[in-house]
Amino acid sequence: MESIPYDKREGKIWFNGVVVDWKDAKLHVLNHGLHYASCVFEGERVYNGEIFKLREHTDRLIYSAKRMGFEIPYTADQIDQACNEIIKIQNVKNGYVRPIAWRGSEMMAISAQKNKIHFAIATWEWGSYFDPKIKEVGIKLNISKWRRPAPNTIPWDTKAAGLYMICTLSKHEAEKDGFNDSLMLDHEDFVAEATGANIFFIIESSKEIHTPTPDCFLDGITRRTIIEIAKDKGYKIIERKIELNELKNFEACFLTGTAAEVTPVSQIGEYTFKVTKSIDEFFNKYLEIVNKKKVSV
Ligand code: PMP
């Protein structure tokens, strides 16, 4: 399945209010979303046939669109319903959901006041974001030459497509040099996040977890879930500005995200980390929570 290009797969896609054949979910090349990144999206996971924290994702999607100056022509209830409908049709039990909204083709210049807002939802069975074997021993990150932009330069607290340009550039550079992902610093050179996941650092001796304050990057839904889990396990969460040269003080490091789930990190540039038992415990608790509904029925 992994090797089949995404536009050549079988199945159905929810597309502007109707369920169409996968191959027919097309758009024209003269499209504002494509040319000017007038586009917002979500990334959701299905566990045991249910989308984890669907309403939070839907609310963030609607918020992302608002920050980009447009309104998705469906209510949160309608979006939730459509997501649930398409995972049923596709029979996705453990997979990924990608709702996406974009400006159409009515105007093709910087201004796009009259453009129709399109909305689609695709979903497919999906496993681990990082290779499970590498995940066990911890992934390796380089340090990106690209910075997370300052909060007054872009709608930073969204999943707007334009924000991902520097993520792809960073990740490609990392992969070229044999790393699995890239650590991005912010506009003031503080530690920010990976290309599609938030970052945490552990000091086991004092049961402290340090994580950057999300003031110029996404405060992930997984991030917030893990903070609750770690607090429940007696860890003190310290959200603050973290300098790169402080990484030597931390024993362990992990990433969180809908796709990355909980992924241990063994190396960031010259800094190395242990894969501690606590990361495993956070991940196991996370899996328990995301699968909870079906387990407890
Ligand atoms: N940062 C970025 C840049 C991301 O793309 C993601 C994935 N959505 C995250 C952080 C983590 O967010 P979440 O836990 O809500 O998936």
Side-chain angles (χ1 to χ4, degrees):
M1 189 67 175
E2 284 307 294
S3 59
I4 305 171
Y6 279 87
D7 59 346
K8 300 281 187 289
R9 296 182 181 197
E10 297 290 325
K12 303 281 183 189
I13 287 179
W14 196 99
F15 197 85
N16 283 333
V18 285
V19 174
V20 302
D21 275 345
W22 193 282
K23 63 178 183 329
D24 295 331
K26 289 180 181 161
L27 41 123
H28 197 271
V29 68
L30 293 175
N31 171 286
H32 209 272
L34 177 65
H35 289 243
Y36 301 101
S38 265
C39 174
V40 297
F41 64 94
E42 264 308 315
E44 302 162 2
R45 255 193 202 268
V46 185
Y47 292 95
N48 269 330
E50 206 161 315
I51 302 168
F52 180 59
K53 296 199 171 174
L54 172 58
R55 181 48 69 97
E56 275 187 53
H57 283 283
T58 297
D59 286 345
R60 185 166 72 186
L61 182 71
I62 291 169
Y63 174 76
S64 294
K66 269 209 181 85
R67 286 274 274 156
M68 288 290 289
F70 66 83
E71 200 172 321
I72 297 172
Y74 301 96
T75 64
D77 282 343
Q78 287 171 325
I79 294 171
D80 283 2
Q81 208 182 333
C83 288
N84 285 326
E85 184 190 345
I86 199 67
I87 65 162
K88 284 222 170 57
I89 291 170
Q90 284 283 96
N91 197 25
V92 172
K93 294 286 180 240
N94 289 286
Y96 190 76
V97 188
R98 170 55 59 88
I100 182 159
W102 67 96
R103 286 192 174 103
S105 305
E106 287 73 11
M107 294 172 75
M108 273 301 292
I110 304 289
S111 178
Q113 307 279 9
K114 298 203 172 99
N115 289 32
K116 181 181 163 187
I117 305 306
H118 298 259
F119 183 50
I121 310 163
T123 182
W124 56 91
E125 280 286 322
W126 199 50
S128 183
Y129 180 60
F130 293 104
D131 179 338
K133 278 199 209 95
I134 298 169
K135 216 173 150 176
E136 245 170 60
V137 293
I139 61 162
K140 295 183 186 340
L141 272 54
N142 76 344
I143 297 161
S144 176
K145 65 182 181 196
W146 300 101
R147 300 285 183 268
R148 300 303 311 178
N152 61 353
T153 60
I154 198 155
W156 55 275
D157 55 348
T158 68
K159 280 184 78 73
L163 281 161
Y164 287 86
M165 185 180 84
I166 49 173
C167 300
T168 299
L169 284 168
S170 301
K171 183 121 178 165
H172 280 187
E173 185 76 20
E175 287 174 341
K176 182 172 72 67
D177 293 338
F179 294 89
N180 308 106
D181 203 349
S182 198
L183 171 72
M184 302 186 77
L185 305 179
D186 72 11
H187 56 110
E188 295 173 314
D189 280 354
F190 291 108
V191 172
E193 59 169 353
T195 59
N198 293 118
I199 195 158
F200 290 85
F201 301 96
I202 312 177
I203 304 175
E204 296 287 2
S205 53
S206 51
K207 285 200 99 172
E208 281 177 16
I209 295 186
H210 296 238
T211 189
T213 311
D215 55 6
C216 64
F217 58 87
L218 209 63
D219 178 7
I221 292 168
T222 321
R223 177 184 186 277
R224 296 197 296 265
T225 309
I226 291 298
I227 286 176
E228 288 316 308
I229 291 173
K231 277 184 185 164
D232 276 355
K233 290 191 179 292
Y235 280 82
K236 189 172 171 204
I237 306 291
I238 300 154
E239 295 185 73
R240 64 177 178 89
K241 302 246 178 234
I242 298 172
E243 287 181 28
L244 192 55
N245 66 22
E246 287 185 66
L247 297 199
K248 62 182 181 309
N249 305 332
F250 301 120
E251 276 167 79
C253 171
F254 62 96
L255 304 183
T256 66
T258 297
E261 297 173 304
V262 177
T263 298
V265 175
S266 62
Q267 188 190 336
I268 301 177
E270 68 193 74
Y271 304 99
T272 56
F273 304 95
K274 285 186 247 165
V275 178
T276 54
K277 213 166 76 209
S278 53
I279 300 175
D280 229 27
E281 285 170 8
F282 298 152
F283 187 31
N284 287 337
K285 185 69 196 173
Y286 182 73
L287 289 177
E288 208 182 296
I289 291 170
V290 296
N291 287 296
K292 184 179 68 183
K293 285 204 173 110
K294 291 288 149 74
V295 171
S296 59
V297 170

